[in-house]
Amino acid sequence: GKKIKEGINIAIIGRPNVGKSSLMNALLNEERVVVSDVAGTTRDSIDSILKYHDEEYILIDTAGMRKKGKVFESVEKYSLFRSLKAIDRSDICLVVINAEEGIKEHDKHIAGYAIERGKGLIFVVNKWDTVKDTTIPEFEKLMRAEFQFATYAPIVFLSALTKKRIHTLMPTILKVGENIKREIPTSILNDV
């Protein structure tokens, strides 16, 4: 049967405490969208639907997931496992990076996995308002050096909490979404 869901699935991924929930809330509030919670196909996530320019986007919230039963070695490891599951369900991945903490191995790991799986990728540098001694071009240079395997991925600088520059994100998502649609041959869609 046909499994293609309407809308583009967006996974908001990143290490614990980088501001994934704030980003999700900022997106949903900013766009004054019709939001409806749909129970995720995996029981441990709640997806929200965001309508923007007549397109439906399904936001996969990995922040709200809770561990059940199984004890993982560490929060970090668990969050990685969760991110990978969300990447598998998504079309576009927003890799959220905390500007204060800079780039960590975990960030590279999930970005690399997203690319391996052929997903659209956008880097979101969050908490940008807290950074005083670096300019956007400087930080961008650092990002490009660290993520050499993802030179084409757009980087968006914003602060989810203060909503600064949040308006730059949806247009970027729109662009990446267009590219994705162009890259999927219809023959593949018919086989699913």
Side-chain angles (χ1 to χ4, degrees):
K2 277 204 168 41
K3 265 215 213 89
I4 299 294
K5 268 216 294 279
E6 278 309 301
I8 291 174
N9 291 305
I10 299 174
I12 300 175
I13 54 181
R15 287 177 295 117
N17 306 320
V18 290
K20 296 188 291 286
S21 295
S22 323
L23 180 62
M24 181 137 179
N25 294 336
L27 263 180
L28 294 172
N29 298 334
E30 191 57 27
E31 304 306 339
R32 311 235 179 302
V33 290
V34 186
V35 181
S36 49
D37 283 344
V38 282
T41 45
T42 46
R43 280 180 319 240
D44 52 356
S45 79
I46 293 289
D47 300 346
S48 302
I49 295 174
L50 177 146
K51 281 198 174 72
Y52 180 81
H53 288 206
D54 297 327
E55 281 273 4
E56 276 199 352
Y57 295 89
I58 296 146
L59 296 179
I60 302 170
D61 181 14
T62 55
M65 297 183 188
R66 294 281 165 261
K67 338 182 168 194
K68 290 197 190 70
K70 223 179 195 168
V71 179
F72 287 79
E73 291 90 308
S74 66
V75 175
E76 194 86 349
K77 225 187 197 134
Y78 182 62
S79 118
L80 183 65
F81 166 75
R82 248 170 8 183
S83 293
L84 300 184
K85 267 173 55 172
I87 291 169
D88 285 336
R89 290 181 53 213
S90 74
D91 302 304
I92 297 176
C93 301
L94 306 184
V95 177
V96 186
I97 288 168
N98 178 347
E100 298 171 291
E101 297 178 351
I103 300 145
K104 303 273 198 261
E105 271 313 302
H106 186 290
D107 303 328
K108 291 190 202 175
H109 200 102
I110 50 183
Y113 183 78
I115 287 183
E116 262 167 48
R117 311 288 294 180
K119 309 298 183 177
L121 188 65
I122 298 170
F123 291 109
V124 178
V125 181
N126 189 25
K127 308 189 186 182
W128 184 245
D129 55 323
T130 61
V131 175
K132 299 286 173 275
D133 47 0
T134 311
T135 63
I136 283 185
E138 284 170 342
F139 201 93
E140 193 153 336
K141 218 171 139 180
L142 183 77
M143 293 275 297
R144 293 303 181 204
E146 291 285 346
F147 295 102
Q148 286 175 357
F149 53 85
T151 45
Y152 57 86
I155 305 172
V156 177
F157 292 83
L158 52 77
S159 170
L161 224 48
T162 64
K163 304 268 176 60
K164 258 207 185 84
R165 301 176 55 94
I166 187 85
H167 63 275
T168 59
L169 182 53
M170 273 321 286
T172 307
I173 289 175
L174 219 59
K175 258 194 225 118
V176 173
E178 282 307 306
N179 293 342
I180 286 177
K181 280 191 175 155
R182 276 202 294 275
E183 282 164 22
I184 304 177
T186 41
S187 59
I188 293 180
L189 293 181
N190 297 338
D191 291 340
V192 174

